[in-house]
Amino acid sequence: GGGAAWDIRWFTPTTEVALCGHGTLASAHALWDTGRVPRSAPIAFHTRSAGVLHCEASGSWVKMDFPAQPPVAAEDAASLKAGVVEALGLGGPDDVLYVGRGPPATPDWLVEVRPAAFT
């Protein structure tokens, strides 16, 4: 079939969150398991802030395709590198190769550290 489209939002006990992969996975399973969507049909979940998330059954697995939202290099990288060095007990700022942050839907930090810094 051509698939199904659903709106999706995620909530904690106190707030709405921008993205929840496990909640999306569970929602896809619920729609297929209850027969609301045939297991052979992919599902497109429309979100408020994370774009369209696609789920497709693949045997006993679920393939999830989320939009690529690469991190953006931090503007104050020098001061952040110093904090990373201190927090991880690294030798110096040269051990930190990159500090960036994801978009508003997934505002996690991405830090790349030289592997040799941990030896």
Side-chain angles (χ1 to χ4, degrees):
W6 293 78
D7 292 330
I8 192 168
R9 294 168 69 180
W10 309 274
F11 297 88
T12 71
T14 58
T15 189
E16 183 171 4
V17 294
L19 179 65
C20 180
H22 288 93
T24 304
L25 176 67
S27 297
H29 271 290
L31 291 169
W32 288 319
D33 291 350
T34 61
R36 290 187 174 152
V37 176
R39 190 151 178 83
S40 60
I43 302 172
F45 290 105
H46 297 268
T47 72
R48 292 179 72 181
S49 58
V52 180
L53 313 178
H54 299 275
C55 293
E56 179 180 344
S58 178
S60 62
W61 293 88
V62 176
K63 290 182 184 176
M64 300 174 71
D65 182 14
F66 290 10
Q69 298 178 334
V72 176
E75 292 178 17
D76 54 345
S79 65
L80 291 170
K81 282 184 178 185
V84 170
V85 167
E86 182 179 343
L88 298 179
L90 303 175
D94 290 341
D95 287 337
V96 181
L97 303 175
Y98 179 85
V99 178
R101 192 154 194 183
T106 54
D108 299 318
W109 289 99
L110 175 66
V111 177
E112 182 181 6
V113 176
R114 285 186 327 107
F118 293 105
T119 59

